[in-house]
Amino acid sequence: MPKTIYIPEDATHSGVSITWTPSAKRIDISGWYDSFVGIAPGSMTLMEFFSKLGIKKKDCLNAFDRDIA
């Protein structure tokens, strides 16, 4: 089941939504400004997202290791 977060968390007038769909391994990103103006959405696989940001497997493993400790 897809899960969506908003930045900022209490986004009402302006913000960004990020939705993760595990079954498709896809991230969807969209946003809005001043409650009226939409920002064109984008969609990519999780691997494309990591690659475009330069996030390596080691970075993910380190992040998960820190959360467990």
Side-chain angles (χ1 to χ4, degrees):
M1 172 165 249
K3 168 105 177 165
T4 301
I5 62 169
Y6 298 95
I7 301 172
E9 285 185 33
D10 63 346
T12 53
H13 300 294
S14 301
V16 174
S17 68
I18 303 169
T19 300
W20 166 242
T21 306
S23 60
K25 295 180 176 62
R26 185 185 69 234
I27 291 179
D28 300 305
I29 301 170
S30 63
W32 62 99
Y33 176 75
D34 200 21
S35 300
F36 297 105
V37 179
I39 298 169
S43 183
M44 64 190 75
T45 66
L46 187 59
M47 190 63 226
E48 288 173 315
F49 181 78
F50 289 156
S51 293
K52 288 181 181 206
L53 290 173
I55 299 171
K56 305 291 184 206
K57 182 177 180 178
K58 181 176 84 175
D59 300 320
C60 295
L61 294 173
N62 286 337
F64 281 108
D65 285 345
R66 287 191 188 120
D67 284 344
I68 293 171

